[in-house]
Amino acid sequence: MITEDARALLETGPVCDSCLGRPFAERSFGLTNAERGRALRTTIAMEDDADFEPDEPGDCWVCEGYSGTVDAIAETVVDALEDADFATYQVGSRVPPLVEENDRLLREDAGLEPDVGESFKREVNREVGRRVGAKTGTDVDFDRPDVLGIVDLAAFDPLEALESESVTSHAVDIQLNPAFVYGRYRKLERDIPQTEWPCRECGGSGTQLSDDGEEPCDYCGGSGYMYDTSVEQVVRPHVVDAMDGDEGTFHGAGREDVDARMLEEGRPFVLEVKRPKIRDPDPAELEREINAAAEGSVEVEGLRLATYEMVERVKEHNASKRYRADVEFAEPVDEADFEAAFEELTGTTVQQDTPQRVDHRRADLTRERTVYDIDGELRSPTEAEVRLHGEGGLYVKELISSDAGRTEPSLAGLLETDAEVTALDVFGVEGEEEPFELEEYFLDEPRDDGEAAAADA
């Protein structure tokens, strides 16, 4: 009988209503543990025709008073969140080992299973969390909340908290989870890398040692970077500032070569902002600000507030690419042979060993990639424009040059002459089976055509 189990629990010593009700947490959905405990205590008093004498949390040998502090803890958490911008939250706690041991001994001394009902830690998390949600008008999220509040119960004396009805702010640690902005970038000039490229000689410090001490690095001119700027350096500061965050990380859907332009539809990216205090900047205004500051070297479009899952989607989603290349041949090429080579390559799966130009930083593997379509035109017997659509991961320069036979078949191999890409542009990066931009990955509403035009103006 449930009342017999409750009597056994009460015989262990003073037990507050929450601790008395917690072993029966799976009974009667909709009640708090304190309500369960009080109901059991009331039932026993009526059965015994005895005076009703509840045990206060401050006298409870199990929780040592902590059960009575959840209101004060919630107030402290809400105060700590005052400057945070969030729509979802979660509350966690660190419970003193002695209280966790008492919670286990309570059940053991009463002859109950050690894990029956609910743990003290879970009750604290739920009761504090419920109050935080009610006070802030936000929703709990157990998977990926905007903010996470961790309460360290050992950081305050529960009896003092019961008397003062307050808990020190030192007991609460607030974690602001990252926020994410998705978009596409166009790189309109060559020799701009996607991400920061620290100087290989000075390691990014911008200095080197000489007989006279430190001086600017000769290799990078003291900038600390191999290139003056990058797409990341253009985009990141504006997004981080708009969200009042600590730092940002750039995630791209692959990357083009430093000397290649990224045109037309652009390449998808996500800017991850750490510890943002603002989570809902105006994407259209942010877009205008970035494009104005970039002065035509880089452009972004389609900025939207995204979920954290968009980072994985951008990095892992299978995508095909479209390219345009200027090509020079070592010997004159016959137009009929030129067209025949395209017919041979269209729809072909090529074998590509890791190119010599990147084998110092990538594993030496043989990759199979499909050329969906390829065509072009001869501008002169030794110059051509080549356009192609290929599977993600296809090394385009090597498809054309053969990379000393490391790519088979290749345009150079079929034409039996050396070929070199002198300029490369990427025109499109699109999902193989579905687009990157599915609404389930966004937190804001899509902009209409009028808003998009205003952002581009």
Side-chain angles (χ1 to χ4, degrees):
M1 289 289 294
I2 188 172
T3 53
E4 296 306 312
D5 289 339
R7 289 178 185 273
L9 292 168
L10 290 171
E11 288 174 0
T12 65
V15 180
C16 69
D17 288 343
S18 291
C19 292
L20 177 60
R22 196 159 51 251
F24 309 101
E26 298 173 355
R27 301 288 191 104
S28 188
F29 179 77
L31 295 174
T32 66
N33 289 332
E35 290 169 339
R36 293 184 180 92
R38 188 171 185 83
L40 288 167
R41 198 188 304 271
T42 301
T43 299
I44 291 172
M46 293 181 67
E47 285 182 351
D48 296 346
D49 193 17
D51 293 339
F52 181 77
E53 298 179 354
D55 294 319
E56 297 300 325
D59 299 322
C60 179
W61 74 269
V62 182
C63 70
E64 300 183 341
Y66 283 113
S67 292
T69 65
V70 292
D71 285 318
I73 293 172
E75 287 288 351
T76 301
V77 173
V78 171
D79 289 344
L81 291 170
E82 182 177 3
D83 295 329
D85 181 14
F86 65 102
T88 59
Y89 72 94
Q90 185 182 357
V91 171
S93 62
R94 290 189 287 270
V95 178
L98 181 58
V99 173
E100 289 185 322
E101 177 69 7
N102 290 347
D103 202 33
R104 184 186 65 79
L105 289 174
L106 171 66
R107 291 160 174 77
E108 181 179 300
D109 292 349
L112 303 180
E113 293 295 325
D115 58 351
V116 68
E118 182 179 44
S119 69
F120 177 75
K121 179 185 182 77
R122 185 169 180 179
E123 179 182 24
V124 169
N125 294 348
R126 188 188 65 258
E127 290 299 325
V128 174
R130 183 166 60 85
R131 289 163 171 79
V132 169
K135 291 176 181 293
T136 61
T138 56
D139 297 322
V140 66
D141 183 341
F142 297 111
D143 295 324
R144 186 76 181 187
D146 293 339
V147 297
L148 172 64
I150 302 294
V151 182
D152 184 1
L153 299 185
F156 66 93
D157 185 319
L159 300 184
E160 291 181 2
L162 287 171
E163 183 176 351
S164 65
E165 297 183 348
S166 65
V167 167
T168 175
S169 60
H170 297 300
V172 174
D173 178 42
I174 298 298
Q175 174 182 312
L176 302 178
N177 282 330
F180 306 89
V181 172
Y182 170 87
R184 285 176 176 261
Y185 74 82
R186 286 186 291 272
K187 195 174 71 179
L188 306 179
E189 296 178 1
R190 304 193 190 280
D191 296 323
I192 298 178
Q194 184 188 86
T195 55
E196 289 183 342
W197 197 322
C199 174
R200 64 171 64 97
E201 295 297 320
C202 68
S205 68
T207 60
Q208 63 185 20
L209 292 177
S210 69
D211 294 339
D212 298 324
E214 287 189 351
E215 61 182 24
C217 173
D218 289 336
Y219 201 77
C220 66
S223 70
Y225 295 99
M226 297 293 293
Y227 295 88
D228 292 337
T229 190
S230 66
V231 177
E232 177 182 22
Q233 287 164 281
V234 168
V235 174
R236 183 184 61 204
H238 299 281
V239 180
V240 171
D241 287 348
M243 290 189 158
D244 196 9
D246 288 350
E247 58 181 312
T249 302
F250 191 97
H251 305 280
R255 64 176 68 216
E256 64 285 336
D257 291 339
V258 173
D259 60 354
R261 294 184 299 180
M262 181 69 242
L263 305 176
E264 292 194 0
E265 293 92 349
R267 185 180 295 274
F269 73 91
V270 172
L271 202 292
E272 176 181 354
V273 179
K274 308 293 178 63
R275 294 189 61 80
K277 297 181 181 64
I278 299 171
R279 307 188 79 92
D280 60 347
D282 181 352
E285 176 61 31
L286 186 55
E287 196 170 297
R288 287 191 290 269
E289 180 181 316
I290 293 171
N291 291 339
E295 298 181 336
S297 61
V298 173
E299 291 179 350
V300 297
E301 69 174 9
L303 296 191
R304 295 189 62 182
L305 306 180
T307 66
Y308 77 98
E309 291 97 343
M310 184 56 96
V311 172
E312 181 179 0
R313 184 167 182 80
V314 160
K315 295 168 75 72
E316 303 295 337
H317 191 50
N318 290 331
S320 66
K321 282 88 172 180
R322 297 181 183 274
Y323 302 87
R324 188 204 65 81
D326 291 337
V327 180
E328 289 187 0
F329 300 107
E331 299 174 3
V333 172
D334 179 78
E335 187 162 353
D337 293 338
F338 188 63
E339 296 296 336
F342 289 152
E343 291 181 10
E344 179 74 18
L345 288 173
T346 296
T348 297
T349 297
V350 299
Q351 304 281 330
Q352 294 193 301
D353 293 342
T354 300
Q356 298 176 73
R357 63 188 172 90
V358 298
D359 63 4
H360 62 285
R361 65 178 186 268
R362 295 187 183 176
D364 188 10
L365 301 173
T366 299
R367 299 170 175 84
E368 291 187 348
R369 295 294 186 269
T370 300
V371 181
Y372 298 139
D373 186 38
I374 183 169
D375 62 21
E377 56 195 33
L378 281 172
R379 293 172 173 167
S380 76
T382 59
E383 295 178 321
E385 176 181 306
V386 175
R387 297 174 295 272
L388 68 93
H389 179 205
E391 183 180 358
L394 175 69
Y395 290 113
V396 175
K397 290 179 178 178
E398 286 68 30
L399 174 69
I400 292 172
S401 72
S402 91
D403 194 27
R406 296 171 69 84
T407 289
E408 288 289 345
S410 68
L411 182 61
L414 293 171
L415 295 174
E416 298 182 348
T417 183
D418 290 342
E420 179 186 0
V421 174
T422 58
L424 181 66
D425 295 328
V426 188
F427 279 91
V429 179
E430 300 298 340
E432 291 274 14
E433 297 180 358
E434 62 182 21
F436 283 88
E437 298 89 349
L438 296 183
E439 286 303 310
E440 63 192 89
Y441 293 99
F442 296 113
L443 298 174
D444 57 358
E445 295 297 322
R447 281 183 275 164
D448 61 30
D449 292 340
E451 291 174 314
D456 292 337

